[in-house]
Amino acid sequence: ALLPCRTTKGEYIKFDRAVAHVFPHCGYKLSSILTVPQTAEASKEYNSFTWKGLLKGLCQMQVNGAGYLDEKMDWATKNESSMVKSVASLVSLRGDDARSCLAESRHSIYPNVFPRWAFEPLLTGYSEKRFDRNARQATAWTNTQAIAKPLDRLIAASWSKYSMGAYVHHYEKHGLMQADFERDFATLEQVLSDYKKL
């Protein structure tokens, strides 16, 4: 859904460029993919989504940290302090008239979702070829702090199991020691801290 695509200058966005863009800083190594529309296979030929509607949905998914569109999502314009922040995003538009919508896509993403230190944090590309039988599809590959909540739960659950000694003997049989676990927990907690500070 993301690649191959072109920039407005006609340059192809290759995978290595996409990776370098989405991960511009070594402290931020986690990403997610958001895509709209999300429709059942049987109803795809009856949908008539507009680019404006798709981009609004994609933007709201990004600022809410939501992985999918649903009726419970907050559609109100967010103030800066409540927005989910992103390090960088690659937005790919695929389908009918995708090129004509590129400029609009750059203005649909709130500029204050990106940190001040990010240099050109939004890369947009297009392809006129349809993907997955959708007349129009918008996809964002984003390096975002939305990962912080599930990562926090994962770390808490892992610490709990580790402190009770669950499965530790299996790891020790293969050469992992207590210091290895503690170093890895410290690394994960640093990653979590970095994303929360965005």
Side-chain angles (χ1 to χ4, degrees), residues 6-11 13 98-103 105-106 123-126:
R6 295 174 181 242
T7 65
T8 52
K9 296 176 185 174
E11 304 165 337
I13 300 173
R99 183 172 191 196
S100 64
C101 189
L102 267 189
S105 72
R106 294 193 65 80
L123 178 62
T124 56
Y126 77 95

